[in-house]
Coordinates of all heavy atoms in Angstrom, one line a residue:
M9 N -52.4 18.5 -13.2 CA -53.7 18.7 -13.7 C -53.8 18.0 -15.0 O -54.8 17.4 -15.4 CB -54.1 20.1 -13.7 CG -55.5 20.4 -14.0 SD -56.4 19.6 -12.6 CE -57.8 20.7 -12.7
E10 N -52.8 18.1 -15.8 CA -52.8 17.6 -17.2 C -52.8 16.1 -17.2 O -53.5 15.5 -18.1 CB -51.6 18.1 -17.9 CG -51.4 17.8 -19.3 CD -50.3 18.4 -20.0 OE1 -49.4 19.0 -19.3 OE2 -50.1 18.2 -21.2
Y11 N -52.2 15.5 -16.3 CA -52.1 14.1 -16.2 C -53.5 13.5 -15.8 O -53.9 12.5 -16.2 CB -51.1 13.5 -15.2 CG -49.7 13.9 -15.6 CD1 -48.7 14.1 -14.7 CD2 -49.2 13.9 -16.9 CE1 -47.3 14.4 -15.0 CE2 -48.0 14.2 -17.4 CZ -47.0 14.4 -16.3 OH -45.7 14.6 -16.8
V12 N -54.2 14.2 -14.9 CA -55.5 13.8 -14.4 C -56.5 13.8 -15.5 O -57.4 13.0 -15.7 CB -55.9 14.6 -13.2 CG1 -57.3 14.3 -12.7 CG2 -54.9 14.4 -12.0
Q13 N -56.5 14.9 -16.3 CA -57.5 15.1 -17.3 C -57.2 14.3 -18.6 O -58.2 14.3 -19.5 CB -57.6 16.6 -17.7 CG -58.1 17.5 -16.6 CD -58.1 19.0 -17.0 OE1 -57.6 19.3 -18.0 NE2 -58.7 19.8 -16.1
S14 N -56.1 13.7 -18.7 CA -55.8 12.9 -20.0 C -56.7 11.7 -20.0 O -56.9 11.1 -18.9 CB -54.4 12.7 -20.1 OG -54.0 11.8 -19.0
G15 N -57.0 11.2 -21.1 CA -57.9 10.1 -21.2 C -57.1 8.7 -21.4 O -57.7 7.7 -21.7
F16 N -55.8 8.8 -21.0 CA -55.0 7.6 -21.2 C -54.1 7.6 -20.0 O -53.8 8.5 -19.2 CB -54.2 7.6 -22.4 CG -53.4 8.9 -22.6 CD1 -52.1 9.0 -22.1 CD2 -54.0 9.9 -23.4 CE1 -51.5 10.2 -22.4 CE2 -53.3 11.1 -23.6 CZ -52.0 11.2 -23.1
T17 N -53.5 6.3 -19.7 CA -52.5 6.2 -18.7 C -51.2 5.8 -19.3 O -51.1 5.5 -20.5 CB -53.0 5.1 -17.7 OG1 -53.1 3.8 -18.3 CG2 -54.4 5.4 -17.0
I18 N -50.2 5.6 -18.5 CA -48.9 5.1 -18.9 C -48.9 3.7 -19.5 O -48.2 3.3 -20.3 CB -47.8 5.3 -17.9 CG1 -46.4 5.3 -18.4 CG2 -48.0 4.3 -16.7 CD1 -45.3 5.7 -17.5
A19 N -49.9 2.9 -19.0 CA -49.9 1.5 -19.5 C -50.9 1.3 -20.6 O -50.9 0.1 -21.1 CB -50.4 0.6 -18.3
D20 N -51.5 2.3 -21.1 CA -52.4 2.1 -22.2 C -51.8 1.9 -23.5 O -52.2 0.9 -24.2 CB -53.4 3.4 -22.3 CG -54.4 3.4 -21.3 OD1 -54.7 2.4 -20.7 OD2 -55.1 4.4 -21.1
S21 N -50.8 2.6 -23.9 CA -50.3 2.5 -25.3 C -49.0 3.1 -25.3 O -48.4 3.6 -24.3 CB -51.3 3.2 -26.2 OG -51.3 4.6 -26.0
V22 N -48.4 3.0 -26.6 CA -47.0 3.7 -26.7 C -47.2 5.2 -26.6 O -46.3 5.9 -26.0 CB -46.5 3.4 -28.1 CG1 -45.3 4.1 -28.4 CG2 -46.2 1.8 -28.2
Y23 N -48.3 5.8 -27.0 CA -48.5 7.2 -26.9 C -48.5 7.6 -25.4 O -47.9 8.6 -25.0 CB -49.9 7.6 -27.5 CG -50.1 9.1 -27.5 CD1 -49.4 9.9 -28.4 CD2 -51.0 9.6 -26.6 CE1 -49.6 11.3 -28.4 CE2 -51.2 11.0 -26.5 CZ -50.5 11.8 -27.4 OH -50.7 13.2 -27.4
G24 N -49.2 6.8 -24.5 CA -49.3 7.2 -23.2 C -47.9 7.1 -22.5 O -47.5 8.0 -21.7
S25 N -47.1 6.1 -22.8 CA -45.8 5.9 -22.1 C -44.9 7.0 -22.7 O -44.1 7.5 -21.9 CB -45.2 4.5 -22.4 OG -45.1 4.3 -23.7
T26 N -45.0 7.3 -24.0 CA -44.2 8.4 -24.5 C -44.5 9.7 -23.9 O -43.7 10.5 -23.6 CB -44.3 8.4 -26.1 OG1 -44.0 7.2 -26.5 CG2 -43.4 9.5 -26.7
F27 N -45.8 10.0 -23.8 CA -46.2 11.2 -23.2 C -45.8 11.4 -21.8 O -45.1 12.4 -21.4 CB -47.8 11.3 -23.2 CG -48.4 12.4 -22.5 CD1 -48.4 13.7 -23.1 CD2 -48.9 12.3 -21.2 CE1 -48.9 14.8 -22.4 CE2 -49.4 13.4 -20.5 CZ -49.4 14.7 -21.1
Y28 N -45.9 10.4 -20.9 CA -45.5 10.6 -19.6 C -44.0 10.6 -19.4 O -43.5 11.4 -18.6 CB -46.0 9.4 -18.7 CG -47.5 9.6 -18.4 CD1 -48.5 8.9 -19.1 CD2 -48.0 10.5 -17.4 CE1 -49.8 9.0 -18.8 CE2 -49.3 10.7 -17.0 CZ -50.2 9.9 -17.7 OH -51.5 10.1 -17.5
S29 N -43.3 9.8 -20.3 CA -41.8 9.9 -20.2 C -41.2 11.2 -20.6 O -40.3 11.7 -20.0 CB -41.3 8.8 -21.0 OG -41.6 7.5 -20.6
T30 N -41.7 11.7 -21.7 CA -41.1 13.0 -22.3 C -41.5 14.1 -21.4 O -40.7 15.0 -21.2 CB -41.6 13.2 -23.7 OG1 -43.0 13.2 -23.9 CG2 -40.9 12.2 -24.6
T31 N -42.7 14.2 -21.0 CA -43.1 15.4 -20.1 C -42.5 15.3 -18.7 O -42.1 16.3 -18.2 CB -44.7 15.5 -19.9 OG1 -45.2 14.2 -19.5 CG2 -45.3 15.9 -21.2
G32 N -42.2 14.1 -18.2 CA -41.5 14.0 -17.0 C -40.0 14.3 -17.1 O -39.5 15.0 -16.2
L33 N -39.4 13.9 -18.2 CA -38.0 14.3 -18.4 C -37.9 15.8 -18.6 O -36.9 16.5 -18.2 CB -37.4 13.6 -19.6 CG -37.1 12.1 -19.4 CD1 -36.6 11.5 -20.7 CD2 -36.0 12.0 -18.3
H34 N -38.9 16.4 -19.3 CA -38.8 17.9 -19.5 C -39.0 18.6 -18.1 O -38.3 19.5 -17.9 CB -40.0 18.3 -20.4 CG -40.1 19.8 -20.5 ND1 -39.1 20.5 -21.3 CD2 -41.0 20.7 -20.0 CE1 -39.4 21.8 -21.2 NE2 -40.5 21.9 -20.4
G35 N -39.9 18.0 -17.3 CA -40.0 18.6 -15.9 C -38.7 18.5 -15.1 O -38.4 19.4 -14.4
L36 N -38.0 17.4 -15.3 CA -36.7 17.2 -14.6 C -35.7 18.3 -15.1 O -35.0 18.9 -14.3 CB -36.1 15.8 -14.9 CG -34.8 15.5 -14.3 CD1 -34.8 15.5 -12.8 CD2 -34.3 14.2 -14.9
H37 N -35.7 18.5 -16.4 CA -34.8 19.5 -16.9 C -35.2 21.0 -16.5 O -34.3 21.8 -16.2 CB -34.7 19.5 -18.5 CG -33.9 18.4 -19.0 ND1 -34.4 17.2 -19.3 CD2 -32.6 18.3 -19.2 CE1 -33.4 16.3 -19.7 NE2 -32.4 17.0 -19.6
V38 N -36.5 21.2 -16.3 CA -36.9 22.5 -15.7 C -36.4 22.6 -14.3 O -35.9 23.7 -13.9 CB -38.4 22.7 -15.8 CG1 -38.9 23.8 -15.1 CG2 -38.9 22.8 -17.3
L39 N -36.4 21.5 -13.5 CA -35.9 21.6 -12.2 C -34.5 21.9 -12.1 O -34.0 22.7 -11.4 CB -36.3 20.3 -11.5 CG -35.8 20.1 -10.1 CD1 -36.5 21.2 -9.2 CD2 -36.0 18.7 -9.6
V40 N -33.7 21.2 -13.0 CA -32.2 21.4 -13.1 C -31.9 22.8 -13.5 O -31.0 23.5 -12.9 CB -31.6 20.3 -14.1 CG1 -30.2 20.7 -14.3 CG2 -31.7 18.9 -13.4
G41 N -32.7 23.4 -14.5 CA -32.5 24.7 -14.9 C -32.8 25.7 -13.8 O -32.1 26.7 -13.7
T42 N -33.8 25.5 -13.0 CA -34.1 26.4 -11.9 C -33.0 26.3 -10.9 O -32.6 27.4 -10.3 CB -35.4 25.9 -11.3 OG1 -36.5 26.0 -12.3 CG2 -35.9 26.8 -10.2
I43 N -32.5 25.2 -10.6 CA -31.4 25.1 -9.6 C -30.2 25.8 -10.2 O -29.4 26.6 -9.5 CB -31.0 23.6 -9.3 CG1 -32.2 23.0 -8.5 CG2 -29.8 23.5 -8.5 CD1 -32.2 21.5 -8.4
F44 N -29.9 25.6 -11.4 CA -28.8 26.3 -12.1 C -28.9 27.8 -12.0 O -28.0 28.6 -11.6 CB -28.7 25.9 -13.6 CG -27.5 26.2 -14.4 CD1 -26.4 26.7 -13.7 CD2 -27.4 25.8 -15.7 CE1 -25.2 26.9 -14.5 CE2 -26.3 26.1 -16.4 CZ -25.2 26.6 -15.8
L45 N -30.1 28.3 -12.3 CA -30.3 29.8 -12.2 C -30.2 30.3 -10.7 O -29.9 31.4 -10.4 CB -31.6 30.2 -12.8 CG -31.6 30.1 -14.3 CD1 -33.0 30.5 -14.8 CD2 -30.6 31.0 -15.0
F46 N -30.7 29.5 -9.8 CA -30.6 29.8 -8.4 C -29.1 30.1 -8.0 O -28.8 31.0 -7.2 CB -31.2 28.7 -7.5 CG -31.1 29.0 -6.0 CD1 -31.8 30.0 -5.5 CD2 -30.3 28.3 -5.2 CE1 -31.7 30.3 -4.0 CE2 -30.0 28.5 -3.9 CZ -30.8 29.5 -3.3
F47 N -28.2 29.1 -8.4 CA -26.8 29.4 -8.1 C -26.2 30.6 -8.8 O -25.4 31.3 -8.2 CB -26.0 28.1 -8.4 CG -26.2 27.0 -7.4 CD1 -26.9 25.9 -7.7 CD2 -25.6 27.1 -6.1 CE1 -27.1 24.9 -6.7 CE2 -25.7 26.2 -5.2 CZ -26.5 25.0 -5.5
C48 N -26.8 30.9 -10.0 CA -26.3 32.1 -10.6 C -26.8 33.4 -9.9 O -26.1 34.3 -9.7 CB -26.9 32.2 -12.1 SG -26.1 31.0 -13.1
L49 N -28.0 33.3 -9.3 CA -28.5 34.4 -8.5 C -27.7 34.6 -7.2 O -27.3 35.7 -6.8 CB -29.9 34.1 -8.1 CG -30.6 35.1 -7.2 CD1 -30.8 36.5 -7.9 CD2 -31.9 34.6 -6.7
L50 N -27.3 33.4 -6.6 CA -26.4 33.5 -5.5 C -25.0 34.1 -5.8 O -24.5 35.0 -4.9 CB -26.2 32.1 -4.8 CG -27.3 31.4 -4.1 CD1 -26.9 30.1 -3.6 CD2 -27.8 32.3 -3.0
K51 N -24.5 33.8 -6.9 CA -23.3 34.5 -7.3 C -23.5 36.0 -7.6 O -22.6 36.8 -7.2 CB -22.7 33.8 -8.6 CG -22.1 32.5 -8.3 CD -21.6 31.9 -9.6 CE -20.2 31.8 -9.5 NZ -19.5 31.2 -10.7
L52 N -24.6 36.3 -8.1 CA -24.9 37.8 -8.3 C -25.1 38.5 -7.0 O -24.6 39.6 -6.8 CB -26.2 37.9 -9.1 CG -26.7 39.3 -9.4 CD1 -25.7 40.0 -10.4 CD2 -28.1 39.3 -10.0
V53 N -25.7 37.9 -6.1 CA -26.0 38.6 -4.7 C -24.6 38.7 -4.0 O -24.5 39.7 -3.3 CB -27.1 37.8 -3.9 CG1 -27.1 38.2 -2.5 CG2 -28.4 37.8 -4.6
N54 N -23.8 37.8 -4.1 CA -22.5 37.8 -3.4 C -21.4 38.6 -4.2 O -20.3 38.5 -3.8 CB -22.1 36.4 -3.1 CG -22.9 35.7 -2.1 OD1 -23.4 36.4 -1.2 ND2 -23.1 34.4 -2.3
Y55 N -21.8 39.3 -5.2 CA -20.8 40.1 -6.0 C -19.7 39.3 -6.6 O -18.6 39.7 -6.6 CB -20.3 41.3 -5.2 CG -21.4 42.2 -4.6 CD1 -21.8 42.2 -3.3 CD2 -22.1 43.0 -5.5 CE1 -22.8 43.0 -2.8 CE2 -23.1 43.9 -5.0 CZ -23.4 43.8 -3.7 OH -24.4 44.7 -3.3
R56 N -20.0 38.0 -7.1 CA -19.0 37.2 -7.6 C -19.0 37.2 -9.2 O -18.3 36.5 -9.8 CB -19.1 35.8 -7.1 CG -18.8 35.7 -5.6 CD -18.8 34.4 -5.0 NE -18.0 33.4 -5.7 CZ -18.1 32.1 -5.6 NH1 -19.0 31.6 -4.9 NH2 -17.3 31.3 -6.3
L57 N -19.9 38.0 -9.7 CA -20.0 38.1 -11.2 C -19.3 39.4 -11.6 O -19.5 40.5 -11.1 CB -21.5 38.2 -11.6 CG -22.2 36.9 -11.5 CD1 -23.7 37.1 -12.0 CD2 -21.6 35.8 -12.2
T58 N -18.4 39.3 -12.6 CA -17.7 40.5 -13.1 C -17.9 40.4 -14.6 O -18.4 39.4 -15.2 CB -16.3 40.5 -12.7 OG1 -15.6 39.3 -13.3 CG2 -16.1 40.4 -11.2
L59 N -17.3 41.3 -15.3 CA -17.3 41.3 -16.8 C -16.4 40.2 -17.4 O -16.7 39.7 -18.5 CB -16.7 42.6 -17.3 CG -17.7 43.9 -17.1 CD1 -17.0 45.1 -17.6 CD2 -19.0 43.7 -17.8
N60 N -15.5 39.7 -16.6 CA -14.7 38.6 -17.1 C -15.0 37.2 -16.5 O -14.6 36.2 -17.0 CB -13.2 38.9 -16.7 CG -12.6 40.1 -17.4 OD1 -13.1 40.4 -18.5 ND2 -11.8 40.8 -16.7
R61 N -15.9 37.2 -15.5 CA -16.3 36.0 -14.8 C -17.8 35.9 -14.8 O -18.4 36.1 -13.7 CB -15.8 35.9 -13.4 CG -14.3 35.9 -13.3 CD -13.8 35.7 -11.9 NE -14.5 34.4 -11.4 CZ -14.1 33.8 -10.3 NH1 -13.1 34.3 -9.6 NH2 -14.6 32.7 -9.9
H62 N -18.4 35.5 -15.9 CA -19.9 35.4 -16.0 C -20.3 34.2 -16.9 O -21.4 34.1 -17.4 CB -20.5 36.6 -16.6 CG -20.0 37.1 -17.9 ND1 -18.8 37.7 -18.1 CD2 -20.5 36.8 -19.1 CE1 -18.6 37.9 -19.4 NE2 -19.6 37.4 -20.0
I63 N -19.4 33.2 -17.0 CA -19.7 32.1 -17.9 C -20.8 31.2 -17.4 O -21.6 30.7 -18.2 CB -18.4 31.2 -18.1 CG1 -18.6 30.2 -19.2 CG2 -18.0 30.6 -16.9 CD1 -18.6 30.8 -20.6
G64 N -21.0 31.2 -16.1 CA -22.1 30.4 -15.5 C -23.4 31.0 -16.0 O -24.3 30.2 -16.2
V65 N -23.5 32.3 -16.0 CA -24.9 32.9 -16.4 C -25.1 32.7 -17.9 O -26.2 32.4 -18.2 CB -24.8 34.5 -16.1 CG1 -26.0 35.1 -16.6 CG2 -24.6 34.7 -14.6
E66 N -24.0 32.7 -18.6 CA -24.2 32.5 -20.1 C -24.6 31.0 -20.3 O -25.5 30.7 -21.2 CB -22.9 32.7 -20.8 CG -22.6 34.2 -21.0 CD -21.4 34.5 -21.8 OE1 -20.9 33.6 -22.4 OE2 -20.9 35.6 -21.8
C67 N -24.0 30.1 -19.5 CA -24.4 28.7 -19.7 C -25.9 28.5 -19.2 O -26.6 27.7 -19.8 CB -23.4 27.8 -18.9 SG -21.8 27.7 -19.5
G68 N -26.3 29.1 -18.2 CA -27.6 29.1 -17.7 C -28.7 29.6 -18.8 O -29.7 29.0 -19.0
I69 N -28.3 30.6 -19.5 CA -29.1 31.2 -20.5 C -29.2 30.2 -21.7 O -30.3 30.0 -22.2 CB -28.6 32.5 -21.0 CG1 -28.8 33.6 -19.8 CG2 -29.3 33.0 -22.2 CD1 -28.1 34.9 -20.1
L70 N -28.1 29.7 -22.1 CA -28.1 28.7 -23.1 C -28.9 27.4 -22.8 O -29.6 26.8 -23.6 CB -26.7 28.3 -23.5 CG -25.9 29.4 -24.3 CD1 -24.5 29.0 -24.5 CD2 -26.6 29.7 -25.6
Y71 N -28.7 27.0 -21.5 CA -29.5 25.8 -21.0 C -31.0 26.0 -21.1 O -31.7 25.1 -21.5 CB -29.1 25.5 -19.6 CG -29.7 24.2 -19.1 CD1 -29.2 23.0 -19.4 CD2 -30.8 24.3 -18.3 CE1 -29.7 21.8 -19.0 CE2 -31.4 23.0 -17.9 CZ -30.9 21.9 -18.2 OH -31.4 20.7 -17.7
W72 N -31.5 27.2 -20.7 CA -32.8 27.5 -20.7 C -33.4 27.6 -22.1 O -34.5 27.3 -22.4 CB -33.2 28.8 -19.9 CG -33.5 28.3 -18.5 CD1 -32.6 28.6 -17.5 CD2 -34.7 27.7 -18.0 NE1 -33.2 28.1 -16.3 CE2 -34.4 27.5 -16.7 CE3 -35.8 27.3 -18.6 CZ2 -35.4 26.9 -15.8 CZ3 -36.8 26.6 -17.8 CH2 -36.5 26.5 -16.4
H73 N -32.6 28.1 -23.1 CA -33.0 28.1 -24.5 C -33.1 26.7 -25.0 O -34.0 26.4 -25.8 CB -32.0 29.0 -25.3 CG -32.1 30.4 -25.2 ND1 -33.3 31.0 -25.1 CD2 -31.2 31.4 -25.1 CE1 -33.2 32.3 -25.0 NE2 -31.9 32.5 -24.9
F74 N -32.2 25.9 -24.5 CA -32.3 24.4 -24.9 C -33.6 23.8 -24.4 O -34.3 23.1 -25.2 CB -31.1 23.7 -24.3 CG -31.2 22.2 -24.4 CD1 -31.1 21.5 -25.6 CD2 -31.5 21.5 -23.3 CE1 -31.2 20.1 -25.6 CE2 -31.6 20.1 -23.3 CZ -31.5 19.4 -24.5
V75 N -34.0 24.1 -23.2 CA -35.2 23.6 -22.6 C -36.4 24.1 -23.3 O -37.3 23.4 -23.6 CB -35.3 23.9 -21.1 CG1 -36.6 23.6 -20.4 CG2 -34.2 23.2 -20.3
D76 N -36.3 25.4 -23.7 CA -37.4 26.0 -24.5 C -37.6 25.3 -25.8 O -38.7 25.0 -26.3 CB -37.2 27.5 -24.7 CG -37.4 28.3 -23.5 OD1 -38.1 27.8 -22.5 OD2 -36.9 29.4 -23.4
I77 N -36.5 25.0 -26.5 CA -36.6 24.4 -27.9 C -37.1 23.0 -27.7 O -38.0 22.6 -28.6 CB -35.2 24.4 -28.6 CG1 -34.9 25.9 -28.9 CG2 -35.2 23.5 -29.7 CD1 -33.5 26.1 -29.4
V78 N -36.7 22.3 -26.7 CA -37.1 20.9 -26.5 C -38.6 20.9 -26.2 O -39.4 20.1 -26.7 CB -36.4 20.2 -25.3 CG1 -37.0 18.9 -24.9 CG2 -34.9 20.0 -25.7
W79 N -39.1 21.9 -25.4 CA -40.5 22.0 -25.1 C -41.4 22.3 -26.4 O -42.4 21.7 -26.6 CB -40.8 23.1 -24.1 CG -42.3 23.3 -24.0 CD1 -43.0 24.4 -24.2 CD2 -43.2 22.3 -23.5 NE1 -44.4 24.2 -24.0 CE2 -44.5 22.9 -23.5 CE3 -43.1 21.0 -23.0 CZ2 -45.6 22.3 -23.1 CZ3 -44.3 20.3 -22.6 CH2 -45.5 20.9 -22.7
L80 N -40.8 23.2 -27.3 CA -41.6 23.4 -28.5 C -41.6 22.1 -29.4 O -42.6 21.8 -30.0 CB -40.9 24.5 -29.3 CG -41.0 25.9 -28.8 CD1 -40.1 26.9 -29.5 CD2 -42.4 26.3 -28.8
L81 N -40.5 21.3 -29.4 CA -40.5 20.1 -30.1 C -41.5 19.1 -29.5 O -42.3 18.4 -30.2 CB -39.1 19.5 -30.3 CG -38.2 20.3 -31.0 CD1 -36.7 19.7 -30.9 CD2 -38.5 20.4 -32.5
L82 N -41.6 19.0 -28.2 CA -42.5 18.2 -27.5 C -44.0 18.6 -27.8 O -44.8 17.8 -28.1 CB -42.3 18.2 -26.0 CG -41.2 17.3 -25.6 CD1 -41.0 17.5 -24.0 CD2 -41.4 15.9 -25.8
F83 N -44.2 19.9 -27.8 CA -45.6 20.4 -28.1 C -46.0 20.0 -29.4 O -47.1 19.6 -29.7 CB -45.6 21.9 -27.8 CG -46.9 22.5 -28.0 CD1 -47.9 22.4 -27.0 CD2 -47.3 23.1 -29.3 CE1 -49.1 22.9 -27.2 CE2 -48.6 23.6 -29.4 CZ -49.5 23.5 -28.4
I84 N -45.1 20.2 -30.4 CA -45.5 19.8 -31.8 C -45.7 18.4 -31.9 O -46.6 17.9 -32.6 CB -44.4 20.4 -32.7 CG1 -44.4 21.9 -32.8 CG2 -44.6 19.8 -34.1 CD1 -43.2 22.5 -33.5
S85 N -44.8 17.5 -31.4 CA -44.8 16.1 -31.6 C -45.9 15.5 -30.8 O -46.6 14.5 -31.3 CB -43.5 15.5 -31.3 OG -43.1 15.6 -30.0
I86 N -46.2 15.8 -29.6 CA -47.2 15.1 -28.7 C -48.6 15.9 -28.8 O -49.5 15.1 -29.1 CB -46.7 15.2 -27.3 CG1 -45.5 14.2 -27.2 CG2 -47.8 14.7 -26.4 CD1 -44.8 14.1 -25.8
Y87 N -48.6 17.2 -28.7 CA -50.0 17.7 -28.6 C -50.5 18.0 -30.0 O -51.7 17.7 -30.2 CB -49.9 19.0 -27.8 CG -49.6 18.8 -26.4 CD1 -48.3 19.1 -25.9 CD2 -50.6 18.4 -25.5 CE1 -48.0 18.9 -24.6 CE2 -50.2 18.2 -24.2 CZ -49.0 18.5 -23.7 OH -48.8 18.2 -22.4
Y88 N -49.8 18.5 -30.9 CA -50.3 18.8 -32.2 C -50.4 17.6 -33.1 O -51.4 17.2 -33.6 CB -49.4 19.9 -32.8 CG -50.0 20.3 -34.2 CD1 -51.1 21.1 -34.3 CD2 -49.3 19.9 -35.4 CE1 -51.7 21.4 -35.5 CE2 -49.8 20.3 -36.6 CZ -51.0 21.1 -36.7 OH -51.5 21.4 -37.8
W89 N -49.2 16.9 -33.3 CA -49.2 15.8 -34.2 C -50.0 14.6 -33.6 O -50.6 13.8 -34.2 CB -47.8 15.4 -34.5 CG -47.5 14.2 -35.3 CD1 -48.0 14.0 -36.6 CD2 -46.9 13.0 -35.0 NE1 -47.6 12.9 -37.1 CE2 -46.9 12.1 -36.1 CE3 -46.2 12.5 -33.8 CZ2 -46.3 10.9 -36.1 CZ3 -45.6 11.3 -33.8 CH2 -45.7 10.5 -35.0
G90 N -49.9 14.4 -32.2 CA -50.6 13.3 -31.5 C -52.1 13.5 -31.5 O -52.8 12.6 -31.3
G91 N -52.5 14.7 -31.6 CA -54.0 15.0 -31.5 C -54.6 14.9 -32.9 O -55.9 14.9 -33.1
M92 N -53.9 14.6 -34.0 CA -54.5 14.5 -35.3 C -55.1 13.1 -35.5 O -54.8 12.1 -35.0 CB -53.4 14.7 -36.4 CG -53.0 16.1 -36.4 SD -51.8 16.2 -37.8 CE -51.9 17.9 -38.1

């Protein structure tokens, strides 16, 4: 919906190509993070997580924090700074 409502395309300017590239890469990282957490859920359901074997869950949590920080940087640089 956001791509449809924007007043620019990927071929219009540097801003357009940067916008589509960064939001697309962020979407890809969200997809990878979702798959990562799905496998952590499978390990949880199959009782393969213990107090000593939970590094995958910790990596998933750190990965999602990384994705959140990148989204905040994208929001500041593209939506806030780009809208000025």
Side-chain angles (χ1 to χ4, degrees):
M9 188 65 152
E10 184 175 10
Y11 295 147
V12 174
Q13 292 180 353
S14 64
F16 52 87
T17 65
I18 195 167
D20 281 343
S21 64
V22 172
Y23 183 78
S25 60
T26 303
F27 173 78
Y28 283 102
S29 298
T30 54
T31 54
L33 285 173
H34 176 71
L36 177 68
H37 282 96
V38 168
L39 179 65
V40 169
T42 303
I43 292 169
F44 196 1
L45 289 180
F46 176 73
F47 281 107
C48 289
L49 177 66
L50 287 178
K51 287 180 111 177
L52 178 69
V53 170
N54 292 326
Y55 302 106
R56 293 181 57 199
L57 292 179
T58 64
L59 291 175
N60 296 327
R61 294 186 58 166
H62 60 276
I63 191 73
V65 176
E66 288 183 12
C67 290
I69 291 169
L70 288 174
Y71 184 81
W72 272 103
H73 285 318
F74 166 75
V75 171
D76 289 339
I77 290 170
V78 169
W79 174 245
L80 288 174
L81 293 174
L82 281 175
F83 182 79
I84 290 168
S85 65
I86 291 179
Y87 292 104
Y88 182 72
W89 180 59
M92 291 182 157

